[in-house]
Amino acid sequence: MSSAIVISVIVGLIIILLFVGAPVKPMKFIGQATVKLGIGILFLFFFNVFGGMVGLHIPINLFTAVVSGFLGLFGLASLVAIHLFIV
């Protein structure tokens, strides 16, 4: 399949979405999930900055960002507890 066909199909889908409109519910869910993931990354970053002073470090990866983003401070506390007591 040539690249011209792939690009024309993608442009066609974009034009159809512009006229018809994107489905609202999935886009709202994707937007909220992205914001929560960003908040989780910020939680982990600030925890690592301040936790580094006392020797605590939680790696920032997709799993830890999702846990701390969707569960909030309780998720971050559970990650710290797992790090202290299990790992």
Side-chain angles (χ1 to χ4, degrees):
M1 187 177 282
S2 71
S3 61
I5 294 173
V6 172
I7 292 173
S8 62
V9 167
I10 292 172
V11 169
L13 288 173
I14 290 172
I15 291 172
I16 290 172
L17 280 175
L18 285 175
F19 284 118
V20 175
V24 177
K25 201 164 195 168
M27 290 300 187
K28 186 176 178 182
F29 175 74
I30 291 171
Q32 288 176 348
T34 305
V35 168
K36 287 184 178 188
L37 187 66
I39 290 171
I41 291 170
L42 286 174
F43 276 164
L44 289 170
F45 174 75
F46 285 118
F47 176 80
N48 285 335
V49 167
F50 296 116
M53 296 176 193
V54 291
L56 291 174
H57 172 74
I58 297 192
I60 300 175
N61 55 33
L62 184 61
F63 177 74
T64 58
V66 167
V67 168
S68 66
F70 283 97
L71 296 179
L73 292 176
F74 295 112
L76 185 62
S78 68
L79 289 172
V80 171
I82 290 170
H83 178 73
L84 287 175
F85 298 119
I86 296 177
V87 176

